[in-house]
């Protein structure tokens, strides 16, 4: 059976004290759950404290980004090893905000993905089209380009350790969630790309998360779809009860 994952992307929110309190509140409700896997992704500054707060639970910690080099004169950046040794087992890569606001390309996401895998982190690699691209009928082309570029050259063993997140840019932070049918269509398309590149058995193993305005009230409809294996949650992951409701919708 495929892994099911609910990951919370806290973006640039929460001080260390606030982050620890949120993590502890989530732990209290779903800390012993093994299925689905629950992941929280605080800002870098809170990774260690949140990891410590979640130490005796099943909840995993992820970073929201990392640099691709091991070390060096890269002021303001954080390496994969630093992320790993802060207690993380996951890292979000290629989020649309990184692509748009920080000019990250598929090629850079690919280098980061390889580095994350090399140190033993599970990358959550994001892809997704803009509204203009969707309206121009270019959705599949955009997804395929991002898939090919961001995941280029990964072996079957490597791709099995990757989580893919489909996050339509028009749904992120807008309150305009994709319908379960819209999301399923793209998830099925991505699984088809995996089958074509690898084989069906490999494609079936890979978790494909949906992200974009997921809430407690719309999660169950999305999770009922065959190819939707969980969610990458932004805004709704900042409130423990709302995030927990999304986790419970997957049980
Ligand atoms: C995200 O930023 O990954 C995201 C899905 O945000 P939101 O849930 O707020 O749309």
């Amino acid at each position: 059976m495929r892994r099911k994952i609910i990951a919370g992307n806290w973006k640039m929110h929460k001080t260390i004290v606030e982050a620890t309190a949120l993590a502890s509140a989530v732990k209290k409700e779903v800390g012993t759950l093994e299925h689905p896997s629950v992941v929280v992704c605080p800002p870098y500054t809170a990774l260690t404290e949140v990891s410590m707060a979640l130490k005796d639970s099943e909840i995993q910690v992820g970073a929201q980004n990392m640099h691709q080099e091991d070390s060096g004169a890269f002021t303001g950046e954080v390496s994969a090893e630093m992320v790993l040794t802060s207690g993380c087992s996951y890292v979000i890569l290629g989020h649309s905000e990184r692509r748009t606001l920080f000019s990250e390309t598929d090629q850079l996401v690919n280098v980061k993905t390889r580095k994350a895998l090399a140190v033993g982190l599970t990358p959550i690699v994001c892809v997704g089209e803009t509204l203009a691209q969707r309206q121009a009928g270019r959705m599949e082309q955009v997804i395929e380009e991002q898939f090919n570029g961001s995941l280029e050259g990964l072996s079957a063993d490597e791709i099995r350790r990757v989580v893919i997140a489909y996050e339509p840019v028009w749904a992120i932070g807008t309150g305009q969630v994709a319908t379960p049918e819209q999301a399923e269509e793209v998830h099925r398309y991505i699984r088809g790309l995996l089958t074509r590149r690898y084989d069906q058995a490999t494609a079936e193993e890979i978790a494909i998360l949906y992200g974009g305005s997921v809430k407690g009230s719309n999660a169950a409809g999305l999770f009922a779809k065959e190819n939707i294996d969980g969610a990458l949650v932004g805004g709704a992951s900042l409130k423990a009860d709302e995030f927990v409701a999304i986790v419970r919708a997957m049980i």
Side-chain angles (χ1 to χ4, degrees):
M1 208 180 76
R2 280 201 294 273
R3 254 180 317 165
K4 307 286 181 185
I5 301 168
I6 310 294
N9 173 12
W10 295 357
K11 309 195 185 188
M12 199 171 75
H13 296 286
K14 308 289 176 189
T15 62
I16 294 172
V17 170
E18 292 165 347
T20 309
L22 176 56
S24 301
V26 173
K27 175 174 137 180
K28 199 162 149 244
E29 297 297 324
V30 292
T32 57
L33 269 190
E34 287 181 40
H35 307 287
S37 299
V38 178
V39 184
V40 295
C41 303
Y44 290 135
T45 44
L47 290 176
T48 303
E49 277 80 358
V50 166
S51 299
M52 276 160 32
L54 296 174
K55 202 166 45 137
D56 52 349
S57 81
E58 298 295 334
I59 302 174
Q60 306 289 305
V61 181
Q64 300 170 20
N65 181 34
M66 50 165 247
H67 196 269
Q68 66 278 15
E69 296 293 337
D70 288 332
S71 62
F74 301 104
T75 301
E77 293 292 333
V78 169
S79 74
E81 178 95 28
M82 291 170 189
V83 161
L84 185 74
T85 55
S86 298
C88 292
S89 45
Y90 286 80
V91 60
I92 300 170
L93 296 174
H95 189 280
S96 77
E97 286 150 21
R98 299 290 322 165
R99 292 176 183 267
T100 310
L101 303 174
F102 301 95
S103 309
E104 292 204 3
T105 61
D106 289 327
Q107 193 199 8
L108 180 62
V109 176
N110 183 246
V111 176
K112 291 186 177 194
T113 300
R114 290 159 180 268
K115 176 58 72 177
L117 289 169
V119 305
L121 290 164
T122 299
I124 301 175
V125 178
C126 305
V127 297
E129 82 288 356
T130 63
L131 187 58
Q133 289 164 336
R134 173 172 276 258
Q135 286 173 339
R138 295 186 53 231
M139 178 185 74
E140 292 189 351
Q141 183 195 335
V142 169
I143 298 295
E144 183 168 359
E145 276 170 17
Q146 291 179 346
F147 174 92
N148 286 338
S150 303
L151 302 173
E152 191 188 345
L154 300 189
S155 67
D157 280 347
E158 286 170 327
I159 199 75
R160 279 193 204 98
R161 293 165 47 214
V162 171
V163 175
I164 298 174
Y166 167 56
E167 297 212 308
V169 178
W170 48 271
I172 297 177
T174 59
Q176 195 194 335
V177 64
T179 65
E181 292 69 31
Q182 283 175 321
E184 172 67 8
E185 180 190 6
V186 182
H187 283 230
R188 200 180 320 112
Y189 181 69
I190 293 170
R191 200 157 325 269
L193 294 173
L194 288 163
T195 304
R196 230 196 297 158
R197 166 107 67 92
Y198 301 96
D199 54 56
Q200 198 176 348
T202 304
E204 285 298 330
E205 275 185 49
I206 292 159
I208 307 176
L209 314 183
Y210 167 78
S213 297
V214 177
K215 294 184 287 203
S217 56
N218 59 30
L222 290 158
F223 299 161
K225 293 294 181 189
E226 188 186 334
N227 288 289
I228 300 181
D229 306 311
L232 180 54
V233 185
S237 70
L238 296 172
K239 292 198 187 107
D241 54 352
E242 191 66 29
F243 186 62
V244 166
I246 295 168
V247 173
R248 292 203 197 285
M250 179 53 96
I251 298 172

